[in-house]
């Protein structure tokens, strides 16, 4: 049985290592870290205060969450779903870009050191309602894929259901 260490940084600059064993479905600590990351994505994007940036902000945050999942672990499928969801949201935002606004890098209002890793694409005001509906469907699709995947392996069922719920909860951001 092989294990892959994953480093994660918690608030307060404490660094700790979580081992996600291959072949046994994930650790509770890693699941908690991932769920926290997904909840923080919603909070971060909400803190921008700019509804035109919400879809691409979620894309960027999900991309970062996917990048934080080590390869060769039982979370490979989750990483793939997050990456695919991020790519779809990014494409949606760019296809509906506001031509009168520039892409911007955003910092958290709560922690100015926390910022997006790339500039975000604002969605035009005219397309925003429809884009938000499409983005909500993309998030629902991701949750559905995870829930269907969990049906194939009993050990994954509870953890995938929690991850799916965390992804799906980001739809609230698109309604505000």
């Amino acid at each position: 049985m092989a294990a892959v260490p994953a480093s994660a940084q918690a608030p307060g600059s404490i660094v700790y290592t979580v081992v996600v064993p291959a072949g046994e479905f994930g650790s509770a600590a890693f699941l908690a870290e991932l769920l926290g990351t997904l909840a923080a994505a919603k909070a971060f994007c909400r803190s921008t205060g700019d509804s035109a940036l919400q879809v691409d902000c979620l894309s960027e945050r999900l991309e970062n969450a996917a990048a934080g999942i080590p390869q060769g672990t039982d979370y490979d499928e989750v990483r793939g779903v997050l990456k695919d969801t991020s790519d779809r949201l990014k494409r949606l935002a760019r296809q509906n870009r506001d031509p009168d606004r520039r892409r911007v890098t955003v910092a958290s209002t709560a922690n100015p050191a926390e910022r997006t890793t790339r500039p975000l694409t604002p969605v035009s005001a005219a397309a925003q309602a429809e884009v938000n509906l499409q983005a909500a469907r993309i998030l629902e699709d991701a949750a559905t894929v995870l829930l269907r995947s969990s049906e194939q392996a009993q050990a994954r069922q509870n953890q995938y259901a929690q991850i799916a719920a965390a992804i799906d909860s980001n739809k609230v951001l698109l309604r505000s």
Side-chain angles (χ1 to χ4, degrees):
M1 173 173 9
V4 178
S7 293
Q9 193 160 1
S13 298
I14 297 170
V15 177
Y16 60 95
T17 301
V18 178
V19 176
V20 181
E24 296 176 17
F25 195 75
S27 75
F30 189 78
L31 175 65
E33 180 69 23
L34 180 57
L35 294 174
T37 298
L38 294 173
K42 181 171 48 177
F44 178 86
C45 293
R46 180 175 284 135
S47 78
T48 67
D50 187 346
S51 59
L53 297 175
Q54 301 304 294
V55 171
D56 202 28
C57 182
L58 283 174
S59 167
E60 188 268 347
R61 296 281 100 180
L62 292 177
E63 182 179 349
N64 288 339
I69 298 174
Q71 292 187 3
T73 68
D74 288 327
Y75 286 93
D76 282 344
E77 187 169 10
V78 173
R79 186 182 58 253
V81 169
L82 291 176
K83 180 71 173 112
D84 178 63
T85 303
S86 169
D87 290 344
R88 290 175 67 193
L89 291 171
K90 183 190 315 182
R91 191 169 35 255
L92 180 63
R94 289 185 177 175
Q95 289 170 345
N96 294 280
R97 180 183 164 288
D98 186 338
D100 298 328
R101 291 186 54 190
R102 295 174 44 173
R103 295 177 67 215
V104 294
T105 301
V106 177
S108 166
T109 53
N111 177 8
E114 182 183 5
R115 48 190 332 97
T116 56
T117 57
R118 63 173 171 78
L120 302 179
T121 302
V123 171
S124 73
Q128 200 165 5
E130 180 59 30
V131 166
N132 285 354
L133 285 173
Q134 290 178 37
R137 275 185 266 190
I138 290 169
L139 294 172
E140 287 172 7
D141 290 348
T144 299
V145 167
L146 288 173
L147 290 172
R148 285 187 182 147
S149 297
S150 73
E151 291 171 356
Q152 298 170 4
Q154 194 67 16
R156 296 179 191 182
Q157 201 162 35
N158 184 39
Q159 291 190 14
Y160 273 26
Q162 290 178 60
I163 295 165
I167 291 170
D168 201 49
S169 76
N170 283 297
K171 290 187 308 187
V172 171
L173 180 66
L174 301 170
R175 291 186 204 123
S176 38

